[in-house]
Amino acid sequence: MIVPISDPADPRIEAYRDIRERDLVGRQGLFVAEGKVVLEKLLYSPRHRLESLLIAEHRLPALSGLLAQVPNDVPVFAAAQPVLDAIAGFPLHRGILAIGRRTDTADADTLLASPPAEAIVLVLSAIANHDNMGGIFRNAAAFGADALLLDADCCDPLYRKAIRVSVGAALLVPYAQMRRGEDVPALLARHGFAALALSPSGARTLSEVVPAPRTAAILGAEGPGLPPSLLERAETIRIPMAAGFDSLNVATTSGIVLHHLAEARRQYSLR
């Protein structure tokens, strides 16, 4: 049922108010999703639940087919564009917002126990930029990564911008946030994953890597990279580049690495 909203101060849409200033990530497990494509992912996500929608009135006819799939107990609020912009605190050109709730809160051990015998996992260290986080999740979905592990210094992939940049992939790819001080190499070894640590000074090139049945690629933040204590306990890998340049954007790196691992796995399966 459509619920008309004419007053930006209506208490029923409190969760949507001033969303740039009031980040819902971390508040009782809620997050904000934006846009039609992301809404489609949220509707069918097995790891998150749609709590409510807020839609510009002029978008309702074009979204009728999608709205017909929204569960009956999920309120769909509708407002004129000026009211919607006043609620959000900025011009909301897409005209679609949703509040979701994360329902899958598996820890790192549980997550690593669930993939199949042949699996590809990404481990992220100190990825604090939401654009990079969203890009990494998008690449993970595109190349069929089985899961992502985030250390305690990573930003939340359910931040609105990260979800948008991921084109909704952050709502689909399984992930877990590790405890601070988690022994990553030991965690991976415990679940039978070979650890590949990406570094400009890696001992081998990516093209030389023949992935193990269970392989984890570890990526660090641009600039500091991965800590030496981790590099010492993993196989270090580099991506050769033109002379005078030794670094890539971390989201770009994730795409290159995942493509190589996925293609190598595909070729192996055809033998």
Side-chain angles (χ1 to χ4, degrees), residues 44 65 70 137 164 253:
Y44 302 112
V70 174
F137 267 82
R164 188 177 74 238
T253 299

Side-chain angles (χ1 to χ4, degrees), residues 73-114:
D73 61 343
V74 173
V76 179
F77 302 111
Q81 189 69 50
V83 175
L84 185 65
D85 294 345
I87 294 169
F90 63 96
L92 194 69
H93 302 300
R94 290 177 176 84
I96 303 172
L97 287 173
I99 299 296
R101 181 182 298 276
R102 185 179 180 187
T103 57
D104 175 11
T105 55
D107 61 20
D109 267 305
T110 302
L111 186 66
L112 288 185
S114 61

Side-chain angles (χ1 to χ4, degrees), residues 118-178:
E118 295 184 7
I120 296 171
V121 166
L122 277 184
V123 181
L124 308 182
S125 173
I127 307 299
N129 180 283
H130 293 106
D131 290 279
N132 285 337
M133 183 64 73
I136 292 169
F137 267 82
R138 184 173 184 173
N139 291 335
F143 294 112
D146 295 280
L148 283 87
L149 292 181
L150 286 60
D151 75 4
D153 293 316
C154 284
C155 64
D156 196 317
L158 297 185
Y159 182 75
R160 180 174 58 93
K161 189 175 184 181
I163 296 174
R164 188 177 74 238
V165 171
S166 79
V167 199
L171 304 176
L172 300 177
V173 182
Y175 77 92
Q177 193 125 23
M178 295 179 286

Side-chain angles (χ1 to χ4, degrees), residues 167-256:
V167 199
L171 304 176
L172 300 177
V173 182
Y175 77 92
Q177 193 125 23
M178 295 179 286
R179 300 184 303 274
R180 185 168 299 281
E182 181 86 61
D183 188 332
V184 175
L187 171 67
L188 295 173
R190 190 159 65 244
H191 292 278
F193 281 87
L196 304 178
L198 274 293
S199 170
S201 59
R204 299 174 64 200
T205 66
L206 178 63
S207 61
E208 296 174 309
V209 172
V210 177
R214 281 190 153 201
T215 298
I218 310 172
L219 303 175
E222 297 169 41
L226 295 171
S229 58
L230 191 153
L231 292 172
E232 292 169 359
R233 299 171 61 198
E235 182 178 3
T236 56
I237 304 299
R238 69 182 187 277
I239 299 174
M241 301 175 206
F245 215 83
D246 68 351
S247 67
L248 288 169
N249 169 270
V250 67
T252 300
T253 299
S254 74
I256 294 170

